[in-house]
Amino acid sequence: CVDRFAMVPLPEKDLAGYLDAVRALAIEEKADLFIPVTSPAASEYEAQVAPVLPAGCVSWSLDLETVRDLDDKTAFCSSAERLGLPAPRSHRVASDEEAHAFN
C-alpha cells in the first residue's frame, strides 16, 4: 500500500545523497521491499540501492551489471544471440570515422 510520497536527491547530481536518503526512508518506514518505479533513465541508480538497504529489505531491481547490459543495445543483442534468440545485427560505433568506415 502506498500512503506517502517522499522527495530524495537526484541521483545523477548526488548519488551518495540519493542512496543515503533511500536507506533512511527504508529504515523509517520499516520497508521490506524496494520496487523500482522510475523511468529507464534511472535504472542504473536504482540498481545501486540493494547494497545500502537495511537488513530484511530487498530490492526488486536487477544488479548493476545486468542493468547496464540490458541498456546497452550492442551487449543486449549479443546476449540474445548467445541464448539462441533472434536479434538484429548491432555494431558499436565510437567515432565519426568508425561510422563512415561502417557505412
Side-chain angles (χ1 to χ4, degrees):
C1 172
V2 176
D3 62 4
R4 180 176 171 202
F5 178 81
M7 300 284 289
V8 296
L10 292 172
E12 59 270 20
K13 294 185 181 215
D14 181 9
L15 180 58
Y18 167 77
L19 294 173
D20 289 344
V22 170
R23 176 179 170 71
L25 281 168
I27 292 169
E28 180 182 331
E29 295 291 332
K30 298 176 179 64
D32 54 10
L33 182 62
F34 173 78
I35 303 173
V37 294
T38 61
S39 70
S43 59
E44 283 197 30
Y45 304 116
E46 290 177 336
Q48 297 177 63
V49 167
V52 303
L53 293 173
C57 185
V58 297
S59 173
W60 272 7
S61 177
L62 299 169
D63 64 273
L64 183 57
E65 182 179 347
T66 302
V67 167
R68 286 181 174 158
D69 281 347
L70 292 173
D71 285 346
D72 180 311
K73 290 172 182 59
T74 304
F76 179 82
C77 289
S78 294
S79 295
E81 288 175 355
R82 278 194 305 277
L83 293 170
L85 301 171
R89 288 185 50 203
S90 179
H91 303 277
R92 186 173 313 279
V93 176
S95 68
D96 288 345
E97 294 78 24
E98 287 182 24
H100 289 295
F102 182 72
N103 285 325

